[in-house]
Amino acid sequence: MPKERNYQSNLECVVRIKGITTRPIPFSQLRRRDGEWLNPEELFADCRVEVSEEERLHQERLDFIMADIIDWAISQLSWANAETIRAIHFEGKTVKQYSREQCVTVYAVYKRLERSYPVLKEIIIEEVNALDPVTRVEIIERFGISGCDE
């Protein structure tokens, strides 16, 4: 191995930690600046800040409100568009997989999605604007919704 290039190996390593990731990480990124090897678990350390039980419950409540709004918005779509949104965004299917299952073209699936997004956005914004002012502001901040009356 050539020393002048500072290679550890001519291969890239793939780090798999508890099923979290399979992204390739070059060996060069596994060394700290001080020259020590980085523990791969440090790459995926949990950076979340501890929150109180009350704050966690409040965030959960906001999540449930938003989930209800999204469910309501999807239910306002046509059956085909709603099923397409559910399959792609909630079941994790690819457009190609879903198009095969439904015996439609990939283009047709993309058109369904393209037609659905503006309708969903309009319904979601309308429902968020109908919430009480405090909850509305919290939902807008938490989920980064743009286009709402503030």
Side-chain angles (χ1 to χ4, degrees):
M1 286 182 269
K3 280 217 181 238
E4 64 272 9
R5 287 190 168 170
N6 200 17
Y7 286 141
Q8 284 295 314
S9 169
N10 58 356
L11 302 175
E12 300 283 312
C13 76
V14 176
V15 179
R16 294 175 194 252
I17 299 176
K18 300 176 187 166
I20 295 174
T21 187
T22 57
R23 72 182 170 111
I25 300 171
F27 276 116
S28 60
Q29 291 180 8
L30 294 177
R31 265 198 196 273
R32 289 194 198 123
R33 289 192 180 138
D34 62 6
E36 291 293 314
W37 284 104
L38 185 67
N39 177 353
E41 290 187 3
E42 291 178 53
L43 291 172
F44 306 101
D46 191 4
C47 298
R48 290 180 288 181
V49 178
E50 290 287 325
V51 293
S52 67
E53 183 68 16
E54 182 179 312
E55 179 63 22
R56 188 187 63 74
L57 290 173
H58 180 67
Q59 289 175 354
E60 230 174 65
R61 183 179 145 270
L62 294 177
D63 291 344
F64 286 132
I65 291 170
M66 195 63 199
D68 285 344
I69 290 172
I70 291 171
D71 285 342
W72 168 252
I74 291 172
S75 73
Q76 300 304 302
L77 297 172
S78 69
W79 180 86
N81 290 354
E83 288 304 309
T84 303
I85 291 286
R86 285 188 185 101
I88 303 298
H89 292 287
F90 296 103
E91 297 171 16
K93 294 180 183 175
T94 65
V95 170
K96 193 172 187 177
Q97 287 173 328
Y98 186 71
S99 69
R100 283 187 188 144
E101 287 175 10
Q102 298 298 311
C103 299
V104 296
T105 65
V106 170
Y107 177 79
V109 174
Y110 279 118
K111 283 307 275 183
R112 287 179 188 176
L113 293 171
E114 186 181 322
R115 283 192 304 265
S116 299
Y117 294 144
V119 174
L120 288 174
K121 183 176 180 178
E122 182 181 324
I123 294 169
I124 289 169
I125 288 172
E126 184 180 303
E127 292 299 314
V128 168
N129 284 335
L131 295 171
D132 67 272
V134 174
T135 305
R136 180 172 35 115
V137 169
E138 290 173 338
I139 294 259
I140 290 169
E141 288 174 1
R142 179 157 173 83
F143 297 102
I145 300 171
S146 60
C148 292
D149 299 334
E150 296 192 37

